[in-house]
Amino acid sequence: MENIALVVGATGITGSNLAEELIAQGWTTYGLSRNPTSNIQGLRPIKADLMNEQNLAEALEGISPTHIYFTTWMRNDTEEENIRVNGMLVRNLLTVLSPKKSVKHVALVTGLKHYLGPFEAYAKEGILPETPVREEHPRLPLPNFYYAQEDEVYKASEREGFTWSIHRPHTVVGYAVGNLMNIGTTLAVYASICKETGRKFIWPGSEAQWNGVSDVTDARVLAKQLVWASTTESARNQAFNIANGDVFRWKWLWKRLADWFGIEAEGFDSTIKPLEKELENDHQVWTAIAEKYNLKEKNLDRLSSAWHTDLDLGRPLEVMCDMSKSRKLGFTAYVSTEDSFTDVFKRLRAENMIP
């Protein structure tokens, strides 16, 4: 039977890298998003609104996917609203596809907020897990839209009989533009501004993150795990952490990233210096840089998600993922974290997104 993938959120970091991986492996691949792009060769774009069942049904008419990869979410003002909306996104899609009886597996991408808490209580004292975080860690006694999305998958699986996998990446590093949570592009833009203006590349985060052990998730490694878990018998109906496979300290990596751009790094010096505040007056600076070097994107907000980078780098504890579970089952993909970042920087430069 032919593998037909539906990547939900195909324009994001995770979704776009996954689509490229699936196509490279010979899958028929559809990419669903509100504003689809056609810059991935071989991807079949679908424009649809996950909030609207009728619109979804019309958009998916004639398409019977065997594998669903859900990689998107919508940010709202409160966690209660996050739960309502993001649970609905998953529920609507699976409800619309139910009559087709074609779905064999649903893979859902969430993240470390499963262990660290939702935005409103993110990494706060009193709820912090023991690290490295492990998949068996119980749910926190807090409202969390990740749990709501998982529950929708579990309910539909019981009803429809398909298998599922949950994937919990750490900070995702990968190429994408216009994404809400993009540390690679955010740091590339910040470094480019520092180089153009002669400013130092100032560490924006906490002492714990600066000195502690950390890991991140390359979007290409996440893509490989998504395909592996959805096609491996022993991986069915399980949750998996996913990270690059190495560990590092930001106090080491920060200077390496600065060196790549040829700028001066400044480390932690007793206070957190949020990147969102550092960049808040740089919109015109970036516009001028974009015009000077004839870059594709002049809008700083389309490239930088400083608020999310601040969340990750400002945590009051070191965080890393235990990868034993999928390793024992045979998943072996690995990438150096330094390469994760520099590969993004190289592609941004090649695509004329940074000077």
Side-chain angles (χ1 to χ4, degrees):
M1 183 177 177
E2 180 188 9
N3 287 326
I4 302 172
L6 176 63
V7 178
V8 185
T11 58
I13 300 178
T14 299
S16 59
N17 281 273
L18 172 60
E20 290 177 351
E21 177 69 23
L22 288 162
I23 292 164
Q25 291 196 27
W27 290 50
T28 299
T29 306
Y30 293 90
L32 188 151
S33 55
R34 282 177 296 178
N35 299 294
T37 56
S38 55
N39 54 5
I40 298 175
Q41 188 171 1
L43 181 65
R44 306 179 185 195
I46 300 171
K47 180 179 176 63
D49 179 3
L50 288 165
M51 300 280 284
N52 186 321
E53 276 194 53
Q54 183 176 346
N55 175 262
L56 260 179
E58 292 170 358
L60 293 169
E61 186 177 1
I63 299 170
S64 298
T66 58
H67 293 69
I68 308 299
Y69 299 94
F70 206 96
T71 74
T72 193
W73 66 288
M74 290 178 64
R75 191 182 185 195
N76 298 274
D77 291 338
T78 66
E79 193 60 22
E80 283 70 21
E81 191 65 4
N82 278 334
I83 289 169
R84 186 188 72 80
V85 170
N86 289 291
M88 183 198 309
L89 302 185
V90 176
R91 184 170 62 253
N92 285 352
L93 178 69
L94 297 180
T95 298
V96 164
L97 290 174
S98 177
K100 298 176 185 287
K101 306 300 180 187
S102 64
V103 178
K104 297 196 295 185
H105 187 90
V106 174
L108 172 68
V109 178
T110 61
L112 259 62
K113 285 187 288 296
H114 183 95
Y115 308 110
L116 299 176
F119 290 117
E120 295 171 7
Y122 187 69
K124 295 291 192 296
E125 297 292 343
I127 66 163
L128 299 178
E130 185 177 34
T131 60
V133 293
R134 292 174 169 82
E135 292 92 343
E136 67 265 23
H137 193 279
R139 287 184 176 184
L140 299 171
L142 296 167
N144 191 322
F145 80 84
Y146 283 173
Y147 305 161
Q149 288 189 311
E150 284 186 359
D151 288 343
E152 293 295 343
V153 172
Y154 301 153
K155 283 188 285 188
S157 172
E158 287 184 15
R159 183 179 68 240
E160 308 290 339
F162 59 71
T163 59
W164 53 264
S165 56
I166 309 296
H167 303 260
R168 298 171 186 159
H170 197 163
T171 302
V172 178
V173 180
Y175 178 83
V177 175
N179 188 269
L180 285 175
M181 303 186 295
N182 193 333
I183 191 172
T185 302
T186 297
L187 293 182
V189 167
Y190 175 41
S192 299
I193 289 173
C194 289
K195 184 167 187 176
E196 190 70 17
T197 61
R199 281 150 53 182
K200 290 183 179 179
F201 190 55
I202 300 170
W203 169 252
S206 68
E207 182 177 14
Q209 282 289 299
W210 178 251
N211 290 315
V213 177
S214 190
D215 56 18
V216 298
T217 307
D218 191 296
R220 297 166 298 185
V221 173
L222 173 54
K224 289 182 183 300
Q225 194 197 55
L226 282 158
V227 180
W228 166 81
S230 65
T231 56
T232 300
E233 183 80 16
S234 60
R236 66 198 321 177
N237 300 340
Q238 296 191 59
F240 296 104
N241 291 334
I242 176 63
N244 285 351
D246 65 353
V247 293
F248 66 94
R249 298 183 197 275
W250 277 105
K251 64 193 284 185
W252 169 82
L253 183 61
W254 195 249
K255 185 178 186 306
R256 307 279 290 194
L257 301 186
D259 287 347
W260 196 89
F261 285 93
I263 55 180
E264 184 180 352
E266 180 177 301
F268 182 79
D269 72 348
S270 77
T271 58
I272 291 177
K273 300 180 174 69
L275 189 55
E276 192 168 26
K277 183 171 178 59
E278 177 73 16
L279 294 175
E280 67 182 354
N281 296 317
D282 284 329
H283 289 79
Q284 290 185 335
V285 173
W286 181 256
T287 299
I289 291 172
E291 290 175 350
K292 177 179 177 180
Y293 295 100
N294 195 30
L295 304 180
K296 287 182 181 177
E297 183 55 65
K298 297 180 182 179
N299 184 349
L300 180 62
D301 291 334
R302 283 269 301 156
L303 296 170
S304 169
S305 52
W307 67 274
H308 191 265
T309 297
D310 285 338
L311 268 181
D312 279 355
L313 302 186
R315 296 171 185 153
L317 78 165
E318 63 176 19
V319 183
M320 77 291 295
C321 302
D322 182 86
M323 283 285 292
S324 302
K325 188 175 182 182
S326 60
R327 293 284 188 246
K328 287 178 180 179
L329 294 174
F331 179 73
T332 59
Y334 167 93
V335 69
S336 151
T337 289
E338 185 175 7
D339 289 347
S340 289
F341 280 98
T342 58
D343 286 353
V344 170
F345 300 161
K346 290 172 186 174
R347 185 165 175 185
L348 287 167
R349 187 167 282 172
E351 299 281 347
N352 206 32
M353 303 303 295
I354 62 172

